[in-house]
Amino acid sequence: MQFEVDAHRADRPAGRIRQQNEKLILEAAEQEFARHGFKGTSMQQVADRAGLPKANIHYYFNNKLGLYYAVLANIIDLWDSTFNELSADDDPAVVLPRYIATKIEFSRKYPQASRVFAMEILSGGPHLSQYFQQDYRDWFRSRAAVFEQWIAAGKMKAVDPAHLIFLLWGATQHYADFAVQIEAALGQQTLAPEVFDTATETLTEIILTGCGIRR
Amino acid sequence: MQFEVDAHRADRPAGRIRQQNEKLILEAAEQEFARHGFKGTSMQQVADRAGLPKANIHYYFNNKLGLYYAVLANIIDLWDSTFNELSADDDPAVVLPRYIATKIEFSRKYPQASRVFAMEILSGGPHLSQYFQQDYRDWFRSRAAVFEQWIAAGKMKAVDPAHLIFLLWGATQHYADFAVQIEAALGQQTLAPEVFDTATETLTEIILTGCGIRR
DNA sequence: GTCTATATGTGGATAGAC
DNA sequence: GTCTATCCACATATAGAC
């Protein structure tokens, strides 16, 4: 799962100042893109948040699309790393709880990243077309195959692997993407750490029991 | 759970032509807001999709915000109706599968509505502040109380009710909001009806077993 | 009720002084 | 490398003819 993007970034030597400013801009851009999506975000907003003149954003990233791709690439890198760790040799009773905990931890630590990705998908994923290629389907099938082997080995009940994966994704990312609604429901201004802990416990309990891994 | 909005809509008599055009505009607006969010959507796009001149949109809905509130209000009406049907007297083994099926059916029939709501939440919910008031928290607690009574009555295992609700929401809405990713993973251009059927079965099986309602 | 024309602001992007 | 000034396209919104 690669996501080529450097073509859109300005091609200049990478000095100290450059690295520092790029980081500043990328963080500001992630915030803005998470709230307003690609079309809804203005370069001026990004510049204001980064504390730099608008022209500097264009100096470091050729254009708005280049900036957006750079933000997306960071997120995808972050994403793919975890899910590839599951293997058929593992015991699902050990690695599934770990996976759920990791995903919830992502929602806690990088909510903005999760939201940028969610916004892009909601928009129809026009900037992820090369990411969602045949390769992606193959990758997904190989991940689903792990669950099939666990089922064949009697390590878990025969549930549809694809939909189990969607359940894992949907339930965990919900804590980042819908944080505002959860905050309103629980009457908290920002989600307390315990919320994420209880979420992990509850999800783990229900899913592992539901898949016949625990009883 | 009320969501007052008529103040933002143009206040004129409701003739036949008006009703027809308003419906046309609201449907077009829902499509556009679902893809680009509030800030990212232009009145021109809405007008083009509705097949009307831009000025007519302003004639029927005073301004962009009024149009957006009208779209949001439709969605919220649709939303609240289902979840209120769960009651402590019911048998969760009967009504929970029905609730899951209804929510998945919503994702199938009204994906755009789900996405407009998701976009709004991702944006920080600035236009739902009056909806996410104290009332909302009280409403949520009363819904969670139903699960607590089921637990007290020995009808299900003691899982955290709030997080069970978030699981139900997150897992079901995922099929509308992340349809593009699911399509890519399954190698389908648009999700086949069987996908939603299998989703319902799999979710029902895992969650009911996970909650000790089935074994 | 409908639609053209337009007023006024903000969008992305760049030229060019420093 | 940095930032002001500016170009031009497009945004929301409205005036006013029909």
Side-chain angles (χ1 to χ4, degrees):
Chain A
M1 291 289 89
Q2 284 270 350
F3 186 66
E4 190 57 50
V5 68
D6 287 342
H8 299 87
R9 198 185 297 220
D11 193 18
R12 294 180 224 266
R16 292 179 299 281
I17 308 166
R18 180 173 197 85
Q19 278 192 315
Q20 191 178 335
N21 279 345
E22 279 192 356
K23 194 185 166 207
L24 211 63
I25 295 167
L26 283 172
E27 283 172 2
E30 190 180 75
Q31 300 278 329
E32 293 302 320
F33 284 133
R35 281 189 101 81
H36 307 296
F38 176 70
K39 281 197 65 181
T41 295
S42 76
M43 298 295 267
Q44 189 64 62
Q45 288 166 27
V46 175
D48 289 349
R49 185 178 284 272
L52 293 170
K54 190 173 59 163
N56 290 30
I57 318 290
H58 278 94
Y59 173 73
Y60 285 111
F61 301 87
N62 287 338
N63 50 34
K64 188 179 173 182
L65 202 56
L67 175 58
Y68 187 61
Y69 274 130
V71 171
L72 270 186
N74 280 348
I75 293 167
I76 301 249
D77 279 354
L78 206 64
W79 245 227
D80 288 350
S81 50
T82 42
F83 201 38
N84 285 326
E85 290 176 6
L86 301 183
S87 139
D89 299 331
D90 293 326
D91 182 358
V94 174
V95 293
L96 261 195
R98 192 191 300 158
Y99 179 67
I100 292 169
T102 306
K103 283 283 289 179
I104 292 275
E105 186 64 10
F106 267 57
S107 288
R108 196 182 66 79
K109 281 173 76 172
Y110 313 107
Q112 304 298 348
S114 183
R115 286 170 203 155
V116 172
F117 186 77
M119 276 266 184
E120 171 63 23
I121 301 289
L122 281 170
S123 304
H127 307 101
L128 288 176
S129 51
Q130 63 155 334
Y131 176 66
F132 286 141
Q133 288 295 355
Q134 181 68 35
D135 282 357
Y136 186 79
R137 190 187 173 185
D138 295 340
W139 171 80
F140 184 82
R141 290 174 81 117
S142 78
R143 297 292 89 203
V146 171
F147 290 88
E148 277 159 16
Q149 290 179 267
W150 282 339
I151 292 170
K155 290 178 178 172
M156 61 176 282
K157 202 165 66 181
V159 299
D160 186 289
H163 290 284
L164 173 54
I165 294 172
F166 299 145
L167 166 59
L168 289 164
W169 288 353
T172 54
Q173 290 164 200
H174 192 76
Y175 287 89
D177 302 339
F178 288 77
V180 167
Q181 187 180 22
I182 295 175
E183 284 158 12
L186 300 182
Q188 302 185 5
Q189 281 213 319
T190 52
L191 295 179
E194 302 85 61
V195 174
F196 293 95
D197 296 340
T198 313
T200 306
E201 286 169 29
T202 307
L203 282 182
T204 305
E205 175 65 20
I206 292 177
I207 294 175
L208 266 76
T209 309
C211 293
I213 299 171
R214 283 187 193 165
R215 62 182 59 246
Chain B
M1 290 285 88
Q2 283 270 352
F3 186 66
E4 190 57 49
V5 68
D6 286 341
H8 299 88
R9 199 185 298 219
D11 194 18
R12 292 180 228 267
R16 293 181 297 281
I17 308 168
R18 179 174 196 85
Q19 279 193 315
Q20 192 177 336
N21 278 346
E22 279 191 357
K23 195 185 165 207
L24 212 63
I25 295 167
L26 283 171
E27 283 171 2
E30 189 180 75
Q31 300 278 329
E32 293 302 320
F33 284 133
R35 282 189 100 80
H36 307 295
F38 176 70
K39 281 198 64 181
T41 296
S42 76
M43 298 296 267
Q44 188 65 63
Q45 289 165 27
V46 175
D48 289 349
R49 185 178 285 272
L52 292 170
K54 190 175 58 167
N56 290 29
I57 317 291
H58 278 94
Y59 173 72
Y60 285 110
F61 301 87
N62 288 336
N63 50 32
K64 187 178 173 182
L65 202 57
L67 176 58
Y68 187 62
Y69 275 130
V71 171
L72 270 186
N74 280 347
I75 294 167
I76 302 250
D77 279 352
L78 207 62
W79 244 226
D80 289 350
S81 50
T82 43
F83 201 38
N84 286 325
E85 293 176 5
L86 301 183
S87 139
D89 300 330
D90 294 326
D91 181 1
V94 175
V95 294
L96 261 194
R98 191 191 302 159
Y99 180 67
I100 292 169
T102 305
K103 283 284 289 178
I104 292 275
E105 187 63 9
F106 267 56
S107 289
R108 195 181 67 77
K109 280 174 76 173
Y110 314 106
Q112 303 300 348
S114 183
R115 286 170 202 153
V116 172
F117 186 78
M119 275 269 184
E120 172 63 23
I121 302 289
L122 281 169
S123 303
H127 307 101
L128 288 177
S129 52
Q130 63 155 332
Y131 176 66
F132 287 140
Q133 288 294 355
Q134 180 69 34
D135 283 354
Y136 187 79
R137 190 188 175 184
D138 295 339
W139 171 80
F140 184 82
R141 291 174 81 119
S142 78
R143 298 292 86 203
V146 171
F147 291 89
E148 276 158 18
Q149 289 178 267
W150 283 340
I151 293 169
K155 291 179 180 172
M156 61 176 283
K157 202 166 64 181
V159 298
D160 187 290
H163 290 283
L164 173 54
I165 294 171
F166 299 145
L167 166 59
L168 289 165
W169 289 351
T172 54
Q173 292 165 198
H174 192 74
Y175 287 89
D177 303 339
F178 288 76
V180 167
Q181 187 180 24
I182 294 175
E183 284 159 12
L186 299 182
Q188 302 184 5
Q189 281 213 318
T190 51
L191 294 180
E194 302 85 62
V195 173
F196 293 94
D197 297 339
T198 312
T200 305
E201 287 169 29
T202 307
L203 282 182
T204 305
E205 174 65 20
I206 292 177
I207 294 175
L208 266 77
T209 310
C211 292
I213 299 170
R214 283 187 195 168
R215 60 183 60 247

Coordinates of all heavy atoms in Angstrom, one line a residue, chain B residues 45-74:
Chain B
Q45 N -23.4 25.3 -7.5 CA -23.5 23.8 -7.6 C -24.9 23.3 -7.3 O -25.4 22.4 -8.1 CB -22.5 23.1 -6.7 CG -21.0 23.3 -7.0 CD -20.1 22.9 -5.9 OE1 -20.4 22.1 -5.0 NE2 -18.9 23.5 -5.8
V46 N -25.4 23.8 -6.3 CA -26.8 23.3 -5.9 C -27.8 23.7 -7.0 O -28.6 22.9 -7.4 CB -27.2 24.0 -4.6 CG1 -28.7 23.6 -4.2 CG2 -26.3 23.5 -3.4
A47 N -27.7 25.0 -7.5 CA -28.6 25.4 -8.5 C -28.4 24.6 -9.8 O -29.4 24.1 -10.4 CB -28.3 26.9 -8.8
D48 N -27.2 24.3 -10.2 CA -26.9 23.5 -11.4 C -27.6 22.1 -11.3 O -28.2 21.6 -12.2 CB -25.4 23.4 -11.7 CG -24.8 24.7 -12.1 OD1 -25.6 25.6 -12.4 OD2 -23.6 24.8 -12.2
R49 N -27.4 21.5 -10.1 CA -27.9 20.2 -9.9 C -29.4 20.2 -9.9 O -30.1 19.2 -10.3 CB -27.3 19.6 -8.6 CG -27.8 18.1 -8.4 CD -27.2 17.5 -7.1 NE -25.7 17.2 -7.3 CZ -25.3 16.1 -7.7 NH1 -26.1 15.1 -8.1 NH2 -24.0 15.8 -7.8
A50 N -30.0 21.3 -9.3 CA -31.5 21.3 -9.3 C -32.0 21.8 -10.6 O -33.3 21.7 -10.8 CB -31.9 22.3 -8.2
G51 N -31.2 22.3 -11.5 CA -31.7 22.7 -12.8 C -32.4 24.0 -12.7 O -33.4 24.3 -13.5
L52 N -32.0 24.9 -11.8 CA -32.7 26.2 -11.6 C -31.6 27.3 -11.6 O -30.4 27.0 -11.3 CB -33.4 26.2 -10.3 CG -34.7 25.3 -10.2 CD1 -35.2 25.3 -8.8 CD2 -35.8 25.8 -11.1
P53 N -32.0 28.5 -11.9 CA -31.0 29.6 -11.7 C -30.7 29.8 -10.3 O -31.5 29.6 -9.4 CB -31.8 30.8 -12.3 CG -32.9 30.3 -13.0 CD -33.3 29.0 -12.4
K54 N -29.5 30.3 -10.0 CA -29.0 30.5 -8.7 C -29.9 31.4 -7.8 O -30.1 31.1 -6.6 CB -27.6 31.0 -8.7 CG -26.9 31.0 -7.4 CD -25.4 31.5 -7.6 CE -25.3 32.9 -8.2 NZ -24.0 33.5 -8.1
A55 N -30.4 32.4 -8.5 CA -31.2 33.4 -7.7 C -32.5 32.7 -7.2 O -33.0 33.2 -6.1 CB -31.6 34.5 -8.6
N56 N -33.0 31.7 -7.8 CA -34.2 31.0 -7.3 C -33.9 30.3 -6.0 O -34.8 30.2 -5.1 CB -34.7 30.0 -8.3 CG -35.3 30.6 -9.6 OD1 -34.8 31.7 -9.9 ND2 -36.2 30.0 -10.2
I57 N -32.7 29.8 -5.8 CA -32.4 29.1 -4.6 C -32.5 30.2 -3.4 O -33.0 29.9 -2.4 CB -31.0 28.6 -4.6 CG1 -30.7 27.8 -5.9 CG2 -30.7 27.6 -3.4 CD1 -31.4 26.6 -6.1
H58 N -32.0 31.4 -3.7 CA -32.1 32.4 -2.7 C -33.5 32.9 -2.5 O -33.9 33.4 -1.4 CB -31.2 33.6 -3.1 CG -29.8 33.4 -2.8 ND1 -28.9 32.9 -3.7 CD2 -29.1 33.7 -1.7 CE1 -27.7 32.9 -3.1 NE2 -27.8 33.3 -1.9
Y59 N -34.3 32.7 -3.5 CA -35.7 33.1 -3.4 C -36.4 32.2 -2.4 O -37.2 32.6 -1.5 CB -36.4 33.1 -4.7 CG -37.9 33.4 -4.6 CD1 -38.4 34.6 -4.3 CD2 -38.8 32.3 -4.8 CE1 -39.8 34.8 -4.2 CE2 -40.2 32.5 -4.7 CZ -40.6 33.8 -4.4 OH -42.0 34.0 -4.3
Y60 N -36.2 30.9 -2.5 CA -36.9 29.9 -1.7 C -36.3 29.8 -0.3 O -37.0 29.6 0.7 CB -36.9 28.6 -2.4 CG -37.9 28.5 -3.5 CD1 -37.5 28.4 -4.9 CD2 -39.2 28.6 -3.3 CE1 -38.4 28.4 -5.9 CE2 -40.2 28.5 -4.3 CZ -39.7 28.5 -5.6 OH -40.6 28.4 -6.7
F61 N -35.0 29.8 -0.2 CA -34.3 29.8 1.1 C -33.5 31.1 1.2 O -32.6 31.4 0.3 CB -33.4 28.6 1.1 CG -34.1 27.3 0.9 CD1 -34.4 26.8 -0.3 CD2 -34.6 26.6 2.0 CE1 -35.1 25.6 -0.5 CE2 -35.4 25.4 1.9 CZ -35.6 24.9 0.6
N62 N -33.7 31.8 2.2 CA -33.1 33.1 2.3 C -31.6 33.2 2.0 O -31.2 34.0 1.2 CB -33.3 33.7 3.7 CG -34.8 34.1 3.9 OD1 -35.5 34.3 2.9 ND2 -35.2 34.1 5.2
N63 N -30.9 32.3 2.5 CA -29.4 32.3 2.3 C -28.9 30.9 2.4 O -29.6 29.9 2.7 CB -28.7 33.3 3.2 CG -29.1 33.0 4.7 OD1 -29.4 31.9 5.0 ND2 -29.2 34.1 5.4
K64 N -27.6 30.7 2.3 CA -26.9 29.4 2.3 C -27.2 28.7 3.6 O -27.5 27.5 3.6 CB -25.4 29.6 2.0 CG -24.7 28.3 1.8 CD -23.2 28.6 1.5 CE -22.4 27.3 1.5 NZ -21.0 27.6 1.3
L65 N -27.1 29.4 4.7 CA -27.3 28.8 6.0 C -28.7 28.3 6.1 O -29.0 27.2 6.7 CB -27.0 29.9 7.1 CG -26.6 29.3 8.4 CD1 -25.4 28.4 8.4 CD2 -26.3 30.5 9.4
G66 N -29.7 29.1 5.6 CA -31.1 28.6 5.7 C -31.3 27.3 4.9 O -32.0 26.4 5.4
L67 N -30.7 27.2 3.8 CA -30.8 26.0 3.0 C -30.2 24.8 3.8 O -30.7 23.7 3.8 CB -30.1 26.2 1.7 CG -30.0 25.0 0.7 CD1 -31.4 24.4 0.4 CD2 -29.2 25.4 -0.5
Y68 N -29.0 25.1 4.4 CA -28.3 24.0 5.1 C -29.1 23.6 6.3 O -29.2 22.3 6.5 CB -26.9 24.6 5.5 CG -26.1 23.5 6.2 CD1 -25.6 22.4 5.4 CD2 -25.6 23.7 7.5 CE1 -24.8 21.5 6.0 CE2 -24.8 22.7 8.1 CZ -24.4 21.6 7.3 OH -23.6 20.7 7.9
Y69 N -29.7 24.5 7.0 CA -30.5 24.1 8.2 C -31.7 23.3 7.8 O -32.1 22.3 8.4 CB -31.0 25.3 9.0 CG -29.9 25.8 10.0 CD1 -29.5 27.2 10.0 CD2 -29.4 25.0 10.9 CE1 -28.6 27.6 10.9 CE2 -28.5 25.4 11.8 CZ -28.1 26.7 11.8 OH -27.2 27.1 12.8
A70 N -32.3 23.7 6.6 CA -33.5 22.9 6.1 C -33.1 21.5 5.8 O -33.8 20.5 6.2 CB -34.0 23.6 4.9
V71 N -31.9 21.3 5.2 CA -31.4 19.9 4.9 C -31.1 19.2 6.2 O -31.6 18.0 6.4 CB -30.1 20.0 4.0 CG1 -29.5 18.6 3.9 CG2 -30.4 20.6 2.7
L72 N -30.5 19.8 7.1 CA -30.1 19.2 8.4 C -31.4 18.7 9.2 O -31.5 17.6 9.7 CB -29.3 20.1 9.3 CG -27.8 20.1 9.2 CD1 -27.2 21.0 10.2 CD2 -27.3 18.7 9.4
A73 N -32.4 19.6 9.1 CA -33.7 19.3 9.9 C -34.3 18.1 9.3 O -34.8 17.2 10.1 CB -34.6 20.5 9.8
N74 N -34.4 17.9 8.0 CA -34.9 16.7 7.4 C -34.3 15.5 7.9 O -34.9 14.5 8.3 CB -34.8 16.8 5.9 CG -35.8 17.6 5.2 OD1 -36.8 18.0 5.8 ND2 -35.6 17.9 3.9

